[in-house]
Amino acid sequence: MKTQILNNNIFSYISLRQEYSNTKLVEAVRSRCISQRLPQAIQENELIFGNIDKIFAAQWLDELHVICGTKCNKLLVQNVISKQLWEIPTLKGSGTTPFPEKNCGIHSISINPSSTRLATGAQNPNGVAFYKLPGIEPIAVGEFHTDWLFTSSWIADDVIATGSRDKCLAFWVLKDNDQMDNAESSISFIKPAKTIERNKTLDKVRAMTYNPFYENLTTITSNGFVHIWDVNNFTQIVCHSLPFSKENVCIAHEKTNLLYAVGSLSHVSLLETRSARAVGSLCSTDQGAGVRSVSFNDTIVTIGTGYGSILFYDIRVNKMLENVDGVPFFHRAGRGWLRRDSVFREFFWETECYPNAVYAHSYQPTTMKLLTVGGPLALGLYGNYAAYWD
C-alpha cells in the first residue's frame, strides 16, 4: 500500500513542477522527445581496456574521450573511435597519511562545471587527486580522509565536497596557485577548508550530489539515511531514513522537476529535493542485484543494475519505457573481459557467462552517447566491461 501511495504522488508532483516551470515549451518538447526515443535507437559498441579489474567510475572528457577509474587503482583515458588508450599516473601523497591494508581502487571521478578541473582517487585510496583539464596535468593531492574515498561533487569551479567510509565530509578549495615549484613532486598537498566529522547521524558516505537551486549538498549513507547540508554554513538541514534501507549506493539530480533518484538493492526511490521525502518509487527488474548507477536524461531515469541491465523509466507517466509489444524495454551489457584464474576455475567454472554489473554510466551532453562501465558482480571474479552506445 505504501508503494502505491508513493507511485500516485509522483503524478501530482511532476504536474505541479511543470505547471510553474519557466522552461520554453519548444525546447522542453524537443528534449523530452530525444530522451524518450534515444534508448531504443542506440546500439552498443564495446571498448577494450585490457587486463584490468572492474571499472567503478567513468566520465566523458569530451565528445571522443572517456576517463575511467578501476578497482586495481588505474586511471585510464580512451578515444572511443580510435580505441587508443592512455594510462594516467595516479598521484602519490605526502606519505604522512596512513595507507589502508586493502586498496579499494578509484570509486569517484568528478569534473567541475567549466570542465577545467578533474577530481578522482589518488594512489592512496583515502586521498583525492586533482588535475587540470583538458591536459590532465597534476595539480594537488588532498589529504584528510582516513578510509576509502567513495564519492565527490563539485559545488563551484574551485570548491568540491568529498565523502568517505570514515563517516566524514570534507570541503576543498582549489586555488590557481595550488601547484608548487617542487622539482621532486611537482604537486602540492592540501587540507580541506572545512570538514564535518563526528556527526552522530552521519555513517559511511556512499554517494552525494550538489543541488545549486537550493545550494545544498545531499548525501546518502550506508545505514540507509539521506542527509541535506547547507553549504553556506555547513549545517545539516535534513536527516531521515530512505524508503528502502539496503545498499543505497548511487544518487542523481534532475534539475527541472527538482527530483533526486536514489538506487538501492531492488528499487529506485524518487525524492523531492527540498525535504528529500519520497514522491515515487520503482522496482528494478533485476531483483536483489542492486541498482549500481542512476542518472537523469530529461524525464527519463537511466538505471544500471548488478546483473547488467540498463533500464529506462519515464517519470512523467510513471512506468518503464516499453517496446511495441508493451513489454518493458532494456539493454543488456556485453560480455567484457573476464580473467579465468584459479578462483574462477575453483568456484565459477560451471557457468560459462557471468553478467557484468553496470557500476557507472553517463551521457555525453552534445552527442548523447551513453557510456556504460563495470565488471563482474561476484567478489572473487576479476574482469571489466566498458561500452558506449550511439
Side-chain angles (χ1 to χ4, degrees):
M1 179 62 70
K2 182 178 179 182
T3 301
Q4 183 64 42
I5 293 173
L6 291 178
N7 288 341
N8 288 338
N9 284 347
I10 192 65
F11 288 105
S12 58
Y13 181 82
I14 296 299
S15 298
L16 181 63
R17 293 305 314 174
Q18 292 186 343
E19 180 180 352
Y20 295 101
S21 174
N22 293 322
T23 305
K24 292 182 179 179
L25 181 60
V26 173
E27 180 59 30
V29 171
R30 174 182 174 275
S31 177
R32 188 169 303 128
C33 181
I34 293 174
S35 65
Q36 290 174 338
R37 295 185 179 183
L38 181 68
Q40 298 186 22
I42 57 178
Q43 294 184 335
E44 184 184 38
N45 303 273
E46 282 207 49
L47 301 171
I48 307 301
F49 274 87
N51 303 340
I52 61 170
D53 192 19
K54 299 182 181 70
I55 303 174
F56 283 148
Q59 291 287 341
W60 290 90
L61 286 173
D62 53 40
E63 294 182 3
L64 294 178
H65 298 90
V66 297
I67 184 166
C68 301
T70 75
K71 182 179 180 180
C72 51
N73 216 49
K74 293 184 182 295
L75 192 61
L76 303 168
V77 172
Q78 183 165 147
N79 183 307
V80 298
I81 303 302
S82 70
K83 305 300 189 294
Q84 187 175 0
L85 184 67
W86 301 269
E87 181 173 351
I88 308 301
T90 54
L91 301 188
K92 186 177 180 180
S94 64
T96 60
T97 56
F99 204 96
E101 292 183 6
K102 293 184 179 181
N103 194 331
C104 71
I106 296 172
H107 281 264
S108 175
I109 294 177
S110 300
I111 298 173
N112 71 347
S114 66
S115 297
T116 56
R117 296 288 186 270
L118 168 73
T120 185
Q123 192 174 109
N124 183 331
N126 303 348
V128 53
F130 297 103
Y131 300 84
K132 182 180 179 181
L133 294 177
I136 320 183
E137 297 97 354
I139 298 175
V141 175
E143 298 179 320
F144 163 73
H145 292 296
T146 58
D147 209 335
W148 300 344
L149 179 75
F150 268 152
T151 181
S152 61
S153 182
W154 288 92
I155 295 172
D157 264 342
D158 57 351
V159 181
I160 188 173
T162 57
S164 164
R165 277 207 331 176
D166 63 6
K167 305 180 182 181
C168 296
L169 297 176
F171 298 84
W172 312 80
V173 177
L174 199 64
K175 301 176 182 178
D176 290 337
N177 61 353
D178 272 334
Q179 185 164 3
M180 297 170 58
D181 294 328
N182 187 323
E184 182 177 352
S185 66
S186 75
I187 61 172
S188 60
F189 306 108
I190 62 174
K191 297 295 182 182
K194 177 68 179 180
T195 62
I196 297 176
E197 46 191 317
R198 292 184 291 276
N199 183 298
K200 63 181 180 180
T201 66
L202 194 61
D203 202 68
K204 298 173 183 177
V205 184
R206 290 306 308 265
M208 64 170 58
T209 186
Y210 176 63
N211 183 347
F213 187 86
Y214 293 121
E215 297 185 333
N216 291 337
L217 181 73
T218 301
T219 60
I220 303 299
T221 52
S222 59
N223 59 349
F225 274 73
V226 56
H227 305 76
I228 298 181
W229 311 84
D230 186 332
V231 299
N232 294 305
N233 53 28
F234 305 102
T235 57
Q236 183 174 268
I237 303 171
V238 169
C239 174
H240 60 71
S241 59
L242 289 160
F244 305 96
S245 60
K246 294 183 179 179
E247 295 190 36
N248 292 279
V249 297
C250 53
I251 184 172
H253 176 214
E254 197 277 322
K255 300 175 177 60
T256 302
N257 295 293
L258 299 180
L259 285 171
Y260 294 131
V262 177
S264 61
L265 180 62
S266 297
H267 296 81
V268 173
S269 301
L270 299 173
L271 313 179
E272 189 272 332
T273 51
R274 181 181 286 275
S275 66
R277 294 294 179 183
V279 293
S281 65
L282 60 126
C283 187
S284 169
T285 57
D286 291 344
Q287 288 291 291
V291 174
R292 302 295 168 172
S293 56
V294 63
S295 71
F296 281 99
N297 182 17
D298 196 73
T299 60
I300 302 299
V301 184
T302 303
I303 303 157
T305 77
Y307 287 163
S309 294
I310 305 162
L311 312 170
F312 304 91
Y313 178 86
D314 190 341
I315 61 175
R316 294 182 64 252
V317 297
N318 191 36
K319 63 190 298 186
M320 294 287 185
L321 293 188
E322 299 175 344
N323 59 26
V324 292
D325 299 321
V327 178
F329 172 82
F330 67 94
H331 286 298
R332 185 74 73 182
R335 293 176 64 90
W337 172 81
L338 181 64
R339 187 174 71 183
R340 286 166 168 75
D341 53 16
S342 59
V343 174
F344 172 84
R345 291 191 297 270
E346 183 173 357
F347 298 103
F348 298 99
W349 63 271
E350 292 181 342
T351 301
E352 175 62 24
C353 180
Y354 285 86
N356 287 303
V358 182
Y359 287 116
H361 69 263
S362 66
Y363 287 91
Q364 209 290 321
T366 56
T367 64
M368 293 309 297
K369 288 183 175 68
L370 173 63
L371 172 68
T372 54
V373 300
L377 183 65
L379 183 63
L381 290 177
Y382 188 108
N384 69 83
Y385 160 78
Y388 76 96
W389 304 71
D390 69 354

